[in-house]
Amino acid sequence: MTTDMMNDIERVLYDKEAIQRRISELADQLTADYKDKNPIMVCVLTGAVFFYSDLLKKLNFPLDTDYIICSSYAGTKSTGNLLITQDLRNQIAGRHVVIVEDIIDTGLTMYQLINNLKSRNPASLKVCVLCNKDIGKKQWDVPIDYCGFVVENKYIIGYGFDFHNKYRNLPVIGILKESIYT
């Protein structure tokens, strides 16, 4: 991590200790709910990879892993349509599925992803998100079953969150200085 990258943070919201503590709490909740269910844990790439990796290391039950690359954004703007560029490898019909995502903003991507995966007839489908952006009433109603943090409606970077694919490797979650993206 370079000092230059940290200088682009207006304010740190969560340091690495707070992030790991909250992930441990989420892992305890998931372990209680899934210890006998052998779920498929689906990582929404690319942003969730840090969260997903740390979360899985703390889960205490059998599970299968899978990955999906999808987005409804081009750069920083929503396109309004879900684009899946890499689909799941596993069949999820009859299986318990937990989607692990980095952030829910307007809810559009997750809303469309949930509908897509529900059409594949999983036994259950839950959402685990590291950050839920506090934007008031969301445009798209998305059930969040496990939530790490509610963050303010600012541009978030670090710990997987990026701006033009930079800052993902910062060990903290912070707010990007507005002068960087305006």
Side-chain angles (χ1 to χ4, degrees), residues 82-173:
L82 183 70
L83 175 64
I84 296 176
T85 55
Q86 179 182 315
D87 208 344
L88 301 175
R89 293 172 298 132
N90 294 303
Q91 297 297 318
I92 64 171
R95 297 286 306 272
H96 297 283
V97 176
V98 179
I99 303 168
V100 180
E101 175 65 295
D102 58 350
I103 194 164
I104 294 180
D105 194 333
T106 65
L108 176 61
T109 302
M110 186 57 64
Y111 177 82
Q112 292 179 336
L113 179 59
I114 287 169
N115 287 330
N116 181 293
L117 296 182
K118 277 184 178 179
S119 73
R120 303 179 198 195
N121 301 313
S124 68
L125 185 63
K126 301 289 183 180
V127 174
C128 178
V129 64
L130 180 59
C131 293
N132 181 23
K133 197 172 273 191
D134 183 11
I135 61 171
K137 180 161 174 38
K138 293 203 183 294
Q139 188 176 359
W140 304 94
D141 187 28
V142 174
I144 300 173
D145 303 287
Y146 307 93
C147 180
F149 304 105
V150 175
V151 295
E152 51 195 279
N153 189 17
K154 301 279 186 173
Y155 208 105
I156 306 300
I157 58 168
Y159 196 74
F161 303 109
D162 73 301
F163 176 69
H164 294 299
N165 217 24
K166 292 183 177 31
Y167 306 106
R168 287 189 198 277
N169 60 321
L170 291 174
V172 302
I173 297 172

Side-chain angles (χ1 to χ4, degrees), residues 37-51:
K37 295 183 178 174
N38 189 32
I40 298 175
M41 305 294 292
V42 175
C43 179
V44 180
L45 295 174
T46 302
V49 72
F50 292 86
F51 173 44

